[in-house]
Amino acid sequence: MNGIHDMGGMHGLGPIQVEKNEPVFHARWEGRVIAMRRALAAGGKITLGLREAIESIPAADYLRMSYYERWFTALIEQLVATGLATRAEIGSGKPAKGSVKVIPSLKPADAATLSFRVSGAMLEVKVAPRFKAGQRVRARQINPTGHTRLPRYARGRVGVIEQDRGVQTFPDTNLTAPVEKAQHVYSVRFTARELWGEQASPRDSVYLDLWDDYLEPV
């Protein structure tokens, strides 16, 4: 996104504060947010991830929220958008009068193992790669209004293909609708100086996983 959600490489936000012995959750409600999201996804009523809804949060709200507050806010928006609940029902915690009782799709016995069921990201389809290992490429200078996995700090910069990771769905088109647009994903190495200039260490590099549509030959 061309917004506060793409914070990588931005100046003025200060150093990352590392919390020693950081717990998995800082409060019990954070774990409940994950449980609610997974239970809803298991029912098949919400098929897309939270990222689009999270990236729609206004910048000022996004910065003041904690990580799981953003999840919770996005989950509410998805519930309302899909018609699973109204804002009034969410606010009261009670179903509206006359609403249909829904039997949960996720059974208690299945919930214990749900978090371990991770679907593979790679697609078993034949798609011709546009690039190969060792090839110099430039990250395209794009400014999409929606979601993208090409960070702003890499746009227009030159790197080298290190590895072809295989075929995946293209996230820019797949996030808001089930449009796979299958294409190759590559590990691309950018020197730190290419990204941030002479003040960066000549020994450092950054590796980004980038899709075909993000790259152009040099």
Side-chain angles (χ1 to χ4, degrees), residues 32-94:
R32 292 175 66 86
V33 170
I34 287 185
M36 287 189 291
R37 167 61 194 166
R38 287 178 173 171
L40 286 168
K45 299 294 185 181
I46 297 179
T47 58
L48 298 175
L50 291 174
R51 193 175 294 274
E52 182 192 18
I54 289 175
E55 290 175 349
S56 299
I57 297 173
D61 294 330
Y62 184 90
L63 288 174
R64 70 171 175 77
M65 289 178 178
S66 68
Y67 182 79
Y68 285 108
E69 280 182 289
R70 296 167 191 159
W71 272 50
F72 184 61
T73 300
L75 185 59
I76 289 175
E77 294 304 316
Q78 285 191 321
L79 284 169
V80 174
T82 55
L84 289 175
T86 65
R87 293 193 189 279
E89 289 175 316
I90 294 170
S92 67
K94 298 178 180 179

Side-chain angles (χ1 to χ4, degrees), residues 131-138 158-161 188 194 216-218:
F131 307 99
K132 60 183 179 180
Q135 185 174 353
R136 294 177 75 239
V137 292
R138 178 181 286 107
V158 175
V160 177
I161 301 286
V188 185
E194 172 68 15
E216 58 189 16
V218 174

Side-chain angles (χ1 to χ4, degrees), residues 10 15 21 55 66-67 100 133 149 160 164 169 177:
M10 290 178 63
N21 302 315
E55 290 175 349
S66 68
Y67 182 79
V100 179
R149 302 287 174 92
V160 177
D164 186 335
T169 58

Side-chain angles (χ1 to χ4, degrees), residues 137-141 153-159 190 194-196:
V137 292
R138 178 181 286 107
R140 294 177 58 207
Q141 190 63 263
Y153 65 80
R155 297 174 195 174
R157 306 300 184 181
V158 175
F190 297 88
E194 172 68 15
L195 296 176
W196 293 296

Side-chain angles (χ1 to χ4, degrees), residues 165-185:
R165 295 194 176 277
V167 178
Q168 291 188 13
T169 58
F170 186 53
D172 296 37
T173 56
N174 190 251
L175 188 67
T176 57
V179 180
E180 285 193 343
K181 198 178 182 182
Q183 54 188 258
H184 284 255
V185 183

